[in-house]
Amino acid sequence: MRTIALVGNPNSGKTTLFNALTGSNQHVGNWPGVTVEKKEGKLRFNDQLYNVVDLPGTYSLGAYSEDEIVARDFIIQGNPDVVINVVDATNIERNLYLTTQLLEMGTKIVIALNMMDEAKLKKIDINLNDLSKQLGIPIISTVASKRKGINELIEKAVDTINEDAPVNKISYGEEIHKEIEELKKLLEGRTEGYSSDWIAIKILEGDEEVINHVKGRNHVNERLIAIKDKSVDWELEIVNKRYDFINNIIEKSVKKPDETVVTLTDKIDKAVTNKYLGIPIFALIMYMIFQLTFVIGQDLLGGIVESWIESLAVIVSSFLYAVNSPDWLISFLIEGIIGGVGAVLVFVPLIMTLYFFLGILEDTGYMARAAYVMDGVMRALGLHGKTFISMIVGFGCNVPGIMATRTLENKKDRMIALLINPFMSCGARIPIYLVFIAAFFESNGGLVLFSLYLLGILIALIMGKLFSKTLFKGESSHFIMELPPYRLPSMRSVLRDMWDKVWDFLKRAGTVIFAVVTLLWILSRFPLGVVPYSQESILGKIGSIIAPIFAPAGFGTWQASVSLFAGIAAKEAVVAVLGMVYAGSSEGAALISAVQGAFTPLTAISFMVMTLLYTPCAATIATVKQETKSNKWAVFIAIYPFIIGWILSVIIYQIGSLLGF
Ligand code: GDP
Ligand code: MG
């Protein structure tokens, strides 16, 4: 099968294009660094199947950060038949820098000149024919978010597969050209399919990966020494020549309006990125989102799923009684599955609403501002500004949050960002808060949710500071967050992302949660003859062993202990288990009143804080292991948040009790 790779700067619209080409559901966001791992999909065109690969965005094809290496390695080793170079038309100069490197690599290229709608708004006038001729690369103009130009692009990409790669017309100057020729002579025929020009250029640029690859061959070493000895800054020289090439072309084929227009973006940014107002505005926006989530998700949509589940329980149980089913089956389906898994599903509307709003913040470009505003705080704490981006991603789920730390070039920055991510309150934890809010803090739901998220951020920042002072010393690299323009959110991609998260949630309910509930249901009936869900059951005994640990935090019951334990499989399991052991019935209200009986407002708070902070779920621990390639860090991430969560909930409970709550 032929392979088409999408390559381009961050935030140029690659993933939007990828989704349009393949009908996939990849996450799109109006900020850089959303895609960190390559994603593959299929495209059918003229009865032929093509493999399409979406790569992380890069400005250059060096070997600096991990996401950049993913892109570069794929172009070199994945050997795509054609590369679609996505170029942001509003920022051609910078985007074409990557194009010059693709030219050097000798790959077949089609340019998708994207964001043409915005370019038009900004009155940027681009002569496509001329630009294409000068670069020697075919260009198709597109508006990926509106699916404009997609068919032409596919057609052109497929045609290009059968053509020769474009000729690199960059003139590097006599000295560099001479050196390239020398190196090519030495490497003759031994470049394993890569363009020998590219290898030669990379050697001159001092690219260690390439140099290590060719070292020791046929006098290459002597040549390397000779190159170093000449008092030329080869790398700088080559970069300059690439820019000369670009500027020369732009001058001829792109016209920008003389006076720079003060756009609406500039005006809004003045306020929301203001030194003093920025953070309060961010907090206010988040607070409003949580309030709105409650109004819409709970009050308007909340009852829907709940009433479905209740009617389902009624139908299932009357059917089971009618056909004289055994008691254990009725109990399993009603208490275990509907009581457990159902307790989690009740919250789908609320979670959907929250992700809808967060998706809008992301797609308009506001989240990039939030990260920008937080940059100062992060730096003051010795953390890298990009850390905050991975933290925001962690609000969805800690697994992609941890993956997002790949955009951090510096190992130290990355490790810190990765280790504090689990404190970001992910979607799976929301059902837990919601049960306790419904039981004790009905009228302050938005505020409680907001405070928990805020607490998560605070703990993450404090731990980050601590790590940068202890485990990972050293300078943090500098970072200038690039602010994308504000965009009208594309409903298609906002809804798609929302659905993606909800679908993940549903899938977990149907797999992990289902499995946990089944296992615990069994444990609750053994040894044979015990009263189900009693302390004498195996489940009760396991819980009772753990319970004393949580006694100082105020929730030392076997039920709470078992639920926390099960929550390590997946956080939603906490609610599923509470639903089983406390309610075990079809009525949603039963869980709430059981929780009201078993907890007090104070222990509810300390329990919520514990669920926010304690050991992350198994998938998160596995991701930490995979990303750090170390068991040590996997064990660390399982243990230290538990300790932090325990200490904090004990403090809350003890002080609260002293104060008489
Ligand atoms: P990537 O980082 O290159 O993968 O970029 P994304 O596909 O995530 O898109 C970045 C942002 O640009 C998203 O908010 C998209 O909705 C938006 N976008 C993508 N293509 C276009 C386009 O042609 N015009 C406009 N106005 N917005 C676009
Ligand atoms: Mg992307």
Side-chain angles (χ1 to χ4, degrees), residues 15 27 34-35 54:
T15 304
H27 188 155
V34 177
T35 314
D54 183 24

Side-chain angles (χ1 to χ4, degrees), residues 355 465 472 591:
Y355 284 125
K465 169 95 188 162
F472 309 98
L591 171 58

Side-chain angles (χ1 to χ4, degrees), residues 31 271-274 276-290 358 361-362 366-375 377-378 388-389 391-393 395 424 450 453-454 457 461:
W31 53 356
V272 304
T273 63
N274 178 288
Y276 304 105
L277 292 178
I279 292 179
I281 289 178
F282 176 47
L284 189 70
I285 290 178
M286 291 303 280
Y287 180 72
M288 282 183 340
I289 284 193
F290 287 121
L358 290 180
L361 282 197
E362 213 179 292
Y366 178 74
M367 278 304 192
R369 268 84 192 167
Y372 176 83
V373 168
M374 287 299 289
D375 189 38
V377 178
M378 304 303 275
F388 200 68
I389 294 182
M391 286 164 69
I392 295 176
V393 178
F395 281 156
M424 295 297 101
F450 174 73
Y453 274 70
L454 198 64
I457 296 178
L461 294 181

